[in-house]
Amino acid sequence: MKKNPYKVLGIKEGASYDEIKRAYRELAKKYHPDRYQNNPLADLAEEKMREINEAYDTVMKNAGGNYQYRPDYEQSYDNSNASKGTYGQQYQQQQQSSSQSKSGYNYQHQYANESDLENRARMYINSGNLNEAQKILDRMKNRNAAWHYLQGLVFLRRGWYDRGYTNIQKAANMDPANFEYRNALNNLNQQYTGYRQNNYYRNSYNSSPDMCNLCINLWCADSLCECLGGDLIGCC
Amino acid sequence: MFGYVEPDKPELKIREFDVFRGYYCSLCKTLGRNYGQVSRLTLNYDLAFLYVLLDSMSSLPINGKRQRCIAHPFKKRFVVFPNVFAEYSSDMNIILMYYNLEDKWSDEKNILGGTGALALKRAFKKTKKRHTEKCTAIENHLKALSDLEKQECDSIDEVAEEFGAIMREVFECKHIEDENDRKTLGWMGYNLGRWIYILDAYDDIEKDMKHNSYNPLVKQYDFKGDDISSFKETIREKVDFSLTYSLSEVEKAYSLLGVEKNKGILDNILYSGLIVKTDKVLHERGIKNEKESL
């Protein structure tokens, strides 16, 4: 059974364009695939995102008029899908190459190659088979930036964030020019601040201005006025 | 160990607070009815949170009525009518508290732990019959956990994993029919367990140093025996990351559940209560061991 698109977006029927867009933007932010990187629930988030996109399309069509594209998030969502696409391609290429090597060379030979091991580990991580990935990582002798990165990904997926962070950080330090490692590290920091600065918390008493702040602000304003020759508070 | 999961009370609406307390009372009464009056003393907020969360996943309206109870004999309070989730959460409460008390007894020869475990023994046997598989799984993880503690494991991730796994078992409630929802709940439980374990470890550093007992953070960051508070300060940032990241994963799982019922209460706990608690422990804002009160 298909869900009511208005319910999916959490809006009333007959909502205005702006309301629909705002609701969509909020939800897209919440279920954005970037937020669910290295998360065992990534597939569920993706499904949810698809549902929201469909609902948005339907609702906008119902609202009539000349809508063509979804705002901002759609694009970045497609981009991240595209990056997944390249992953997929890599994966296929790997499979092809490994099947070639299986027919061409002997089996042992294939394992001797470190970068081949690295690719296989990556493949297992992408498919969520962490145990196999870990086995391969343990066999790799060359503990370079790529190794630390992959090991970090395995840890993160496991829920071992302390070690995950340490490894990703190490990878980024060892190879500062690598965009992928830096990106992963930024993403981790982003998750941290993103959660700490969520709307609920930000609007609560915990972060609202207190009386001291008020006094300081007034004092600053007064000083500024005085600098310019005026005066805000007459007595000081 | 337990009781860290609490709402950020000043930020709750009065109505929400009433409902939350209604769930808590309902759970307490369920415990009393099923397992005797003593068991009611072991109830903690973590399981009340679980009850609210699980119940919020069904779309049935919240029903309840004003009732009196032993603890508050003069004023009637709103109590939610118990359902399967109340039963389930109270069972889990018994299981967790029994193991916790027993552990206290065998590790530290804590008298309170010993008597508590003894008092809960009958209740525990009854629950074990109902949740044999869960108990076996939890026992295995507890065994692994105590082994790691005995070996003085120096990785906080590794030790917290076992406690996380226990909470995963607890959160994967069999009464939730949708398999994806169960999986999401499990991930939520795992990360919440991780958070509880690490937070507790940080909170206990002084106590463990004093009694010369094992603390994973002290091991991992190789405390040299100088000033404890400066040690705590040097590791604060790392611990904070671990804790907050775990919470961010709890929040992601919660988002996927798409809960509408009791949203105010749950949002309050997930987006504020847990952060407030984290900061309180990390910056020691005068809550010293309020959890000691069993």
Side-chain angles (χ1 to χ4, degrees):
Chain A
M1 196 185 80
K2 220 168 155 192
K3 285 183 190 162
N4 178 350
Y6 291 94
K7 238 183 171 168
V8 170
L9 294 177
I11 48 176
K12 285 194 210 108
E13 260 179 77
S16 71
Y17 274 119
D18 282 346
E19 280 168 338
I20 301 173
K21 272 186 191 155
R22 204 178 312 129
Y24 174 76
R25 201 165 293 168
E26 276 298 308
L27 289 170
K29 216 156 120 188
K30 212 167 169 179
Y31 300 109
H32 198 282
D34 279 357
R35 233 164 70 88
Y36 287 87
Q37 272 178 22
N38 307 314
N39 189 310
L41 308 173
D43 49 335
L44 295 177
E46 207 172 301
E47 199 179 304
K48 192 104 185 179
M49 197 64 219
R50 207 173 304 128
E51 200 180 285
I52 292 163
N53 282 337
E54 267 170 32
Y56 182 76
D57 285 347
T58 323
V59 168
M60 281 308 239
K61 238 174 248 157
N62 285 354
N66 51 352
Y67 122 88
Q68 297 113 345
Y69 62 93
R70 298 183 203 116
D72 328 24
Y73 282 99
E74 166 62 1
Q75 284 178 345
S76 55
Y77 180 58
D78 279 350
N79 276 342
S80 65
N81 259 350
S83 71
K84 239 189 195 143
T86 53
Y87 262 157
Q89 276 173 7
Q90 276 174 7
Y91 178 76
Q92 280 182 348
Q93 280 169 1
Q94 277 159 24
Q95 288 224 317
Q96 278 171 5
S97 67
S98 72
S99 64
Q100 274 170 7
S101 62
K102 245 179 220 163
S103 54
Y105 308 100
N106 83 30
Y107 205 60
Q108 286 284 314
H109 189 81
Q110 184 200 340
Y111 280 161
N113 192 341
E114 284 271 313
S115 76
D116 198 36
L117 282 178
E118 194 185 304
N119 285 336
R120 285 173 60 87
R122 204 179 265 273
M123 200 176 85
Y124 280 127
I125 293 172
N126 285 338
S127 65
N129 191 343
L130 300 180
N131 289 336
E132 283 303 317
Q134 186 63 57
K135 267 186 209 158
I136 292 178
L137 285 172
D138 288 344
R139 278 226 311 266
M140 286 170 72
K141 289 191 187 68
N142 187 7
R143 303 279 154 107
N144 54 11
W147 184 87
H148 281 290
Y149 173 68
L150 293 177
Q151 180 65 73
L153 290 189
V154 171
F155 278 141
L156 288 178
R157 194 72 77 82
R158 277 240 150 89
W160 294 26
Y161 312 122
D162 188 52
R163 286 192 175 181
Y165 188 83
T166 315
N167 273 291
I168 301 256
Q169 201 175 27
K170 204 159 186 179
N173 284 343
M174 283 166 93
D175 187 358
N178 188 306
F179 181 70
E180 195 183 16
Y181 308 157
R182 204 154 21 101
N183 218 9
L185 190 65
N186 286 342
N187 187 282
L188 288 180
N189 289 324
Q190 177 63 40
Q191 304 298 325
Y192 171 89
T193 32
Y195 177 68
R196 276 206 169 252
Q197 296 173 355
N198 69 68
N199 276 334
Y200 191 105
Y201 191 68
R202 221 175 31 213
N203 295 332
S204 71
Y205 70 96
N206 293 295
S207 39
S208 60
D210 54 17
M211 284 315 276
C212 288
N213 238 337
L214 184 73
C215 291
I216 289 172
N217 288 345
L218 268 179
W219 178 63
C220 285
D222 183 47
S223 304
L224 280 173
C225 284
E226 278 166 7
C227 279
L228 296 171
D231 197 8
L232 183 64
I233 307 167
C235 59
C236 71
Chain B
M1 186 62 97
F2 295 100
Y4 284 116
V5 183
E6 259 187 310
D8 180 13
K9 265 188 216 143
E11 207 59 45
L12 273 181
K13 289 196 174 102
I14 291 181
R15 166 175 55 82
E16 288 165 348
F17 178 69
D18 255 7
V19 173
F20 181 73
R21 204 171 53 185
Y23 276 102
Y24 187 86
C25 292
S26 161
L27 200 52
C28 185
K29 289 196 170 213
T30 309
L31 273 171
R33 207 170 38 248
N34 289 345
Y35 301 112
Q37 298 304 322
V38 183
S39 67
R40 294 173 74 171
L41 298 172
T42 64
L43 178 60
N44 64 56
Y45 276 114
D46 304 6
L47 276 302
F49 165 69
L50 179 67
Y51 177 27
V52 178
L53 179 69
L54 292 176
D55 190 56
S56 304
M57 293 184 64
S58 78
S59 48
L60 297 170
I62 307 162
N63 269 324
K65 104 179 186 214
R66 305 211 151 261
Q67 291 178 348
R68 273 182 238 280
C69 85
I70 303 184
H72 317 97
F74 301 115
K75 206 170 169 203
K76 283 190 174 180
R77 282 186 171 175
F78 176 72
V79 179
V80 176
F81 291 140
N83 55 12
V84 281
F85 299 121
E87 300 275 331
Y88 178 81
S89 308
S90 66
D91 289 356
M92 290 300 130
N93 186 72
I94 295 284
I95 293 175
L96 288 177
M97 289 325 281
Y98 176 76
Y99 285 132
N100 187 27
L101 292 168
E102 200 192 41
D103 183 56
K104 268 196 183 137
W105 172 240
S106 59
D107 279 6
E108 312 162 18
K109 292 284 169 243
N110 183 321
I111 301 292
L112 203 62
T115 18
L118 213 62
L120 280 188
K121 186 115 197 169
R122 262 187 53 185
F124 173 71
K125 273 193 182 152
K126 205 166 147 190
T127 354
K128 198 173 175 180
K129 257 186 213 143
R130 281 202 226 178
H131 305 276
T132 324
E133 271 172 50
K134 277 229 178 314
C135 281
T136 326
I138 291 176
E139 265 169 35
N140 287 339
H141 290 303
L142 274 173
K143 176 82 179 48
L145 181 62
S146 87
D147 283 350
L148 283 173
E149 286 177 350
K150 270 189 203 115
Q151 291 159 20
E152 311 225 314
C153 169
D154 63 354
S155 159
I156 188 75
D157 280 338
E158 223 171 297
V159 203
E161 158 90 20
E162 297 303 332
F163 194 76
I166 293 172
M167 292 306 274
R168 176 189 282 140
E169 286 294 331
V170 170
F171 271 64
E172 278 178 350
C173 170
K174 62 181 176 188
H175 302 300
I176 300 290
E177 269 142 35
D178 187 284
E179 199 185 321
N180 283 336
D181 281 348
R182 253 200 333 265
K183 185 177 148 199
T184 311
L185 278 170
W187 183 244
M188 195 169 172
Y190 171 83
N191 281 285
L192 201 63
R194 222 185 104 81
W195 176 78
I196 292 173
Y197 191 87
I198 300 176
L199 197 66
D200 193 55
Y202 190 86
D203 206 11
D204 278 350
I205 288 179
E206 274 111 353
K207 202 181 100 199
D208 289 339
M209 295 303 298
K210 214 169 95 193
H211 296 107
N212 212 1
S213 45
Y214 167 74
N215 185 303
L217 289 171
V218 172
K219 274 273 160 220
Q220 169 158 342
Y221 295 104
D222 197 22
F223 179 57
K224 290 282 190 309
D226 31 287
D227 189 30
I228 295 182
S229 60
S230 71
F231 169 71
K232 280 181 100 168
E233 210 170 299
T234 50
I235 67 169
R236 186 176 296 148
E237 203 181 318
K238 291 283 275 179
V239 176
D240 182 19
F241 176 81
S242 231
L243 289 171
T244 307
Y245 200 90
S246 309
L247 289 183
S248 85
E249 290 290 312
V250 174
E251 183 271 326
K252 281 172 214 165
Y254 170 68
S255 295
L256 279 177
L257 290 177
V259 176
E260 285 300 321
K261 189 170 150 188
N262 291 321
K263 198 171 184 310
I265 302 171
L266 292 168
D267 276 2
N268 174 287
I269 298 176
L270 266 303
Y271 291 106
S272 190
L274 296 174
I275 299 183
V276 169
K277 204 72 177 181
T278 311
D279 286 348
K280 262 186 185 166
V281 172
L282 283 180
H283 302 284
E284 294 166 63
R285 292 200 195 123
I287 45 147
K288 211 49 224 152
N289 291 334
E290 68 185 30
K291 72 202 154 87
E292 285 287 84
S293 61
L294 235 125

